[in-house]
Amino acid sequence: MTINYTDTADGKVLAADNGTFYWHRLNDGNVYEIATKRTIYLSTGGYARQEGFGTDPAPVDVVEAARSFAREVAAEDQCRAKADQDAERRRSADIDAALSIIPQGARDELDRVNAEWRRRADAVNEGGEGYAHVVGWSDHTGKEILAKHGLTLEQIDDVTAAVDALLRAEPR
């Protein structure tokens, strides 16, 4: 039987139904039998009462069918989570590869540029309490430094894309 999925914004399973049963992430311990409007509680520990504690009475075969449906939904959600993890690993490897091509001389030069900006801020801001400009690889100066140290335009684009991806990444 085909299961229809509704997704969350980040690709997880929000809801699922197969015409017989319905499941929703906000009440993930329950499966609803659509025809009878029966609530079947599926405890995580494997123990479930046939009735009471939030579950309507249901025949054993219906409960087993609901469990099977819930296992399929959980398997789909785990498959999606694994795909997300794999994609994140690939993105991280791409970012690491792009940043690893930056020569040490270029890193040192960018550090010197930022140290000079900090020195100027300290002099102007009476101790540097205010704003101090920071130059990154995506800035014009950062790109010029990369080019001066032999990176091609394509490599510079890879570095800036990696930096932008890191800046957009959600904190963990």
Side-chain angles (χ1 to χ4, degrees):
M1 189 174 286
T2 302
I3 299 177
N4 299 310
Y5 294 101
T6 303
D7 302 340
T8 62
D10 61 352
K12 294 181 176 121
V13 176
L14 175 64
D17 78 83
N18 66 357
T20 304
F21 298 107
Y22 173 79
W23 174 90
H24 197 281
R25 179 173 294 283
L26 294 178
N27 198 2
D28 61 356
N30 292 295
V31 171
Y32 303 95
E33 188 178 19
I34 296 169
T36 63
K37 300 188 185 327
R38 184 179 357 222
T39 300
I40 302 169
Y41 172 69
L42 305 173
S43 66
T44 56
Y47 170 78
R49 293 172 54 101
Q50 290 301 101
E51 57 186 280
F53 292 107
T55 193
D56 295 329
V60 173
D61 61 327
V62 172
V63 172
E64 191 49 46
R67 286 183 190 279
S68 176
F69 169 73
R71 280 191 295 271
E72 288 183 52
V73 172
E76 174 67 22
D77 208 32
Q78 288 174 353
C79 182
R80 291 177 181 200
K82 184 178 179 335
D84 286 347
Q85 290 171 348
D86 292 345
E88 181 60 32
R89 276 191 212 97
R90 283 191 302 277
R91 268 192 304 277
S92 292
D94 291 347
I95 289 170
D96 290 346
L99 296 178
S100 71
I101 65 172
I102 301 172
Q104 187 59 46
R107 292 173 193 269
D108 294 342
E109 187 171 344
L110 187 71
D111 288 344
R112 285 192 299 275
V113 168
N114 283 319
E116 178 60 20
W117 278 110
R118 171 50 65 194
R119 187 195 64 73
R120 289 180 187 180
D122 287 346
V124 173
N125 296 327
E126 298 175 2
E129 296 288 327
Y131 172 78
H133 184 69
V134 177
V135 176
W137 298 119
S138 298
D139 297 322
H140 181 76
T141 303
K143 291 177 183 179
E144 283 182 341
I145 292 171
L146 291 171
K148 187 168 95 175
H149 285 270
L151 272 69
T152 65
L153 289 176
E154 184 178 331
Q155 289 172 317
I156 293 171
D157 287 345
D158 290 346
V159 168
T160 57
V163 169
D164 291 344
L166 287 173
L167 293 174
R168 282 192 316 271
E170 294 180 15
R172 303 228 179 242

